[in-house]
Amino acid sequence: MSWGLIVKKSDAHRCGMPMNEAVTRIPPGRAFLLHFSEPDRGDWEEVLEERSRFALKKIKELGPRLRGSMQMVLLMHARMNSDDGSHERCGFFLAPVH
């Protein structure tokens, strides 16, 4: 797992951010998005595996072909959603498709 920042290329250049081998470029065009929101069980490896399999299954069912790497974008990780102090994670998978 790695951490990153989503930013438009023009904004990265404007802010002086380096564009090197650590940058993953998402090509313009169509994309498949799979949003998720669920209780945070704390097991990231399991969630990545489950959600990745589910996203790839849905892409296959719908017919588009992948044309790049699928990325998981975490929007929030520690939102309090109840009086018992439980947490929720939400975000989406982004997969460029043909």
Side-chain angles (χ1 to χ4, degrees):
M1 180 185 303
S2 61
W3 296 94
L5 170 71
I6 296 176
V7 62
K8 292 188 318 187
K9 187 175 183 178
S10 60
D11 289 340
H13 286 297
R14 184 174 53 82
C15 294
M17 294 177 180
M19 303 298 279
N20 56 34
E21 69 280 350
V23 174
T24 299
R25 184 175 181 276
I26 300 173
R30 293 176 53 201
F32 174 84
L33 293 175
L34 173 67
H35 293 266
F36 62 88
S37 179
E38 59 195 12
D40 186 350
R41 300 185 310 262
D43 187 350
W44 277 101
E45 288 181 26
E46 182 182 324
V47 170
L48 286 172
E49 190 175 323
E50 282 177 26
R51 293 290 169 254
S52 297
R53 274 197 315 265
F54 182 76
L56 291 171
K57 179 182 172 187
K58 286 298 175 188
I59 291 170
K60 186 175 181 179
E61 286 175 10
L62 295 171
R65 292 176 316 191
L66 287 174
R67 65 180 185 108
S69 298
M70 184 167 62
Q71 306 290 318
M72 183 184 91
V73 179
L74 183 63
L75 299 175
M76 193 176 305
H77 178 63
R79 185 175 80 186
M80 303 302 273
N81 64 354
S82 69
D83 292 335
D84 68 1
S86 60
H87 295 93
E88 185 175 284
R89 65 174 145 229
C90 54
F92 60 91
F93 281 93
L94 170 67
V97 295
H98 288 281

